Amino acid sequence: MSAPARIALVVDDDRITRMVHCSHLKALGFQTQEAEDGKDAVQLLEEGNKFQLILMDCEMTSMHGPEATRRIREMGIETPILGVSSISDETLRANFVGSGLTDLFTKPLARDMLMPYARVG
């Protein structure tokens, strides 16, 4: 019997960034789904979609990452949410982490940064 599919949600308003992040995740054995902003990500989860990992950009055109992360956590969802951002402002970074992130990475995201989250389970 094969292992259940591991699906990751990639949330970023930049199409190229989504492609790169999906490529990293697929190389680690994940199937991927994409959302262009936090609003779309929250809606996917409200609709009952299940993910084993979420990559969340910080600054997006509609509903930034911190707000989307807060809403996801308010739904009781405990899926690891990895923030991915190019912001350097420490206050903004602290706000993002405080919204309920599991971890925060600085862009560009390298595949080895995701290794601890690639385990089966």
Side-chain angles (χ1 to χ4, degrees):
M1 182 172 225
S2 64
R6 295 181 301 152
I7 306 169
L9 177 61
V10 177
V11 187
D12 200 298
D13 57 351
D14 183 79
R15 182 181 62 83
I16 301 297
T17 300
R18 288 194 314 271
M19 286 175 44
V20 170
H21 291 175
C22 286
S23 174
H24 289 334
L25 289 161
K26 288 175 181 176
L28 295 171
F30 284 92
Q31 294 177 11
T32 60
Q33 186 163 349
E34 299 177 32
E36 292 184 14
D37 58 42
K39 183 178 175 185
D40 290 346
V42 169
Q43 183 175 348
L44 283 168
L45 290 154
E46 286 175 338
E47 292 170 354
N49 291 285
K50 305 285 186 211
F51 302 99
Q52 286 65 54
L53 186 64
I54 300 171
L55 294 186
M56 181 76 68
D57 185 28
C58 185
E59 296 179 316
M60 295 176 278
T61 53
S62 175
M63 192 185 296
H64 291 317
E67 177 64 21
T69 301
R70 266 191 283 285
R71 291 190 184 193
I72 291 166
R73 294 302 188 214
E74 287 170 359
M75 287 187 261
I77 295 171
E78 297 179 4
T79 300
I81 303 175
L82 308 181
V84 186
S85 179
S86 58
I87 58 173
S88 58
D89 182 279
E90 288 303 318
T91 303
L92 292 175
R93 290 178 69 85
N95 179 50
F96 197 13
V97 170
S99 68
L101 290 181
T102 305
D103 208 342
L104 176 60
F105 298 108
T106 300
K107 290 180 181 178
L109 184 68
R111 187 174 301 157
D112 64 335
M113 297 169 156
L114 298 172
M115 290 299 292
Y117 301 96
R119 64 185 177 278
V120 176

